[in-house]
Amino acid sequence: MSFSYGFLFWALIAEIIGTIGGFGSSVFFVPIGNFYFDFYSVLGMTAVFHLSSNLSKIALFRKGLDKNMLLNIGLPSVVFVLLGAHYSGKINPKILEVLLGIFLVGLSLFFLIRKNFAFAPTRDNAVTGGILSGFSAGLLGTGGAIRGLTMAAFNMEKSAFIATSAAIDLMIDLTRTVVYYEQGYVHKNQMIYVPFLFAIGLVGSYIGKRLLDYIPQEKFKKISLLLILLIGLISIVKQFSI
């Protein structure tokens, strides 16, 4: 297998955009990685990649960490990422990616059209978002966009949004990495990319944070939703173009 610099370049772009969007890099990293490696190898690399990127975000935005949201979304996410990771090899991922794309497009359009709409900041809504994002992360490798929709609906301040999302992601990644390893998704011939991905996680998070300094708070939610809409459309088109 030849070394791919193109893969590393797009991984950096995914990290920067994921930091700006506040929902993590996996929503871009997974579909990009699928152009270079098989689906299950990408799942394994995504979990490893996220460990560095999420630690970076927590360090950069730690003052905004929302502990209540961390508990209400994070704990159910960890439980259901185990379930999703367990079934990742038993269900056709193409079908699930199309359904996820439709879901993301529908919800993001809804919030873009109804700009002032927001879920009530209740524990039930947070737990539901945690369940959906955790299960999707385990099954498809990406659940940050669903968590991003949940947290964007709560109209969180951007530092709290990013720090809390990264902390939840870290809990999810530590959990699913164990399951992915047991299922053989972490391959030796791709471990050469790991140190580069760790560096990209650090650099990409830093660049994303600097760019966020120039983004007004009122525009932050719209940017997040537009990025999620794009992700959903790409997921759908990709599956029907194969």
Side-chain angles (χ1 to χ4, degrees):
M1 181 186 70
S2 59
F3 190 85
S4 176
Y5 293 99
F7 167 67
L8 295 178
F9 169 78
W10 287 112
L12 176 62
I13 299 300
E15 183 60 42
I16 294 171
I17 297 176
T19 300
I20 295 173
F23 43 78
S25 60
S26 65
V27 286
F28 290 101
F29 182 79
V30 172
I32 289 171
N34 286 335
F35 286 103
Y36 294 89
F37 309 101
D38 67 272
F39 179 78
Y40 296 112
S41 294
V42 174
L43 288 184
M45 284 194 291
T46 300
V48 174
F49 179 36
H50 268 198
L51 293 177
S52 62
S53 65
N54 288 320
L55 285 172
S56 302
K57 292 185 184 69
I58 292 170
L60 292 168
F61 297 95
R62 60 187 178 277
K63 293 182 180 180
L65 190 65
D66 187 319
K67 295 180 181 178
N68 288 328
M69 195 68 70
L70 182 64
L71 290 174
N72 292 333
I73 295 181
L75 290 182
S77 294
V78 170
V79 173
F80 278 83
V81 75
L82 283 170
L83 188 63
H86 175 73
Y87 284 103
S88 60
K90 303 179 185 299
I91 303 174
N92 188 335
K94 292 183 179 180
I95 295 175
L96 292 172
E97 286 189 40
V98 170
L99 293 176
L100 177 64
I102 293 172
F103 175 76
L104 295 177
V105 168
L107 281 186
S108 57
L109 284 175
F110 177 80
F111 287 121
L112 285 167
I113 294 170
R114 298 190 59 183
K115 298 179 181 179
N116 297 322
F117 178 87
F119 286 126
T122 65
R123 184 175 181 274
D124 288 344
N125 287 337
V127 169
T128 299
I131 290 172
L132 292 174
S133 63
F135 185 76
S136 176
L139 197 65
L140 296 173
T142 175
I146 295 177
R147 183 176 60 254
L149 285 173
T150 303
M151 296 176 70
F154 279 66
N155 289 309
M156 297 175 67
E157 189 273 330
K158 63 182 179 181
S159 292
F161 186 106
I162 294 171
T164 306
S165 182
I168 294 170
D169 233 356
L170 182 63
M171 295 163 61
I172 289 173
D173 292 331
L174 288 171
T175 304
R176 64 174 169 163
T177 297
V178 175
V179 181
Y180 288 163
Y181 180 80
E182 291 178 346
Q183 296 186 163
Y185 296 174
V186 181
H187 301 148
K188 292 182 179 180
N189 62 345
Q190 278 136 18
M191 294 304 290
I192 189 174
Y193 290 100
V194 170
F196 295 98
L197 292 176
F198 264 83
I200 285 172
L202 295 169
V203 174
S205 295
Y206 177 76
I207 294 173
K209 181 182 184 299
R210 294 301 300 268
L211 291 175
L212 272 173
D213 292 338
Y214 301 96
I215 301 176
Q217 177 67 38
E218 63 272 13
K219 292 184 179 181
F220 182 69
K221 181 177 178 180
K222 183 177 180 180
I223 291 173
S224 296
L225 292 170
L226 286 172
L227 289 172
I228 292 168
L229 173 62
L230 177 62
I231 294 161
L233 290 172
I234 291 173
S235 297
I236 296 170
V237 171
K238 178 186 174 185
Q239 296 308 314
F240 283 105
S241 64
I242 296 177

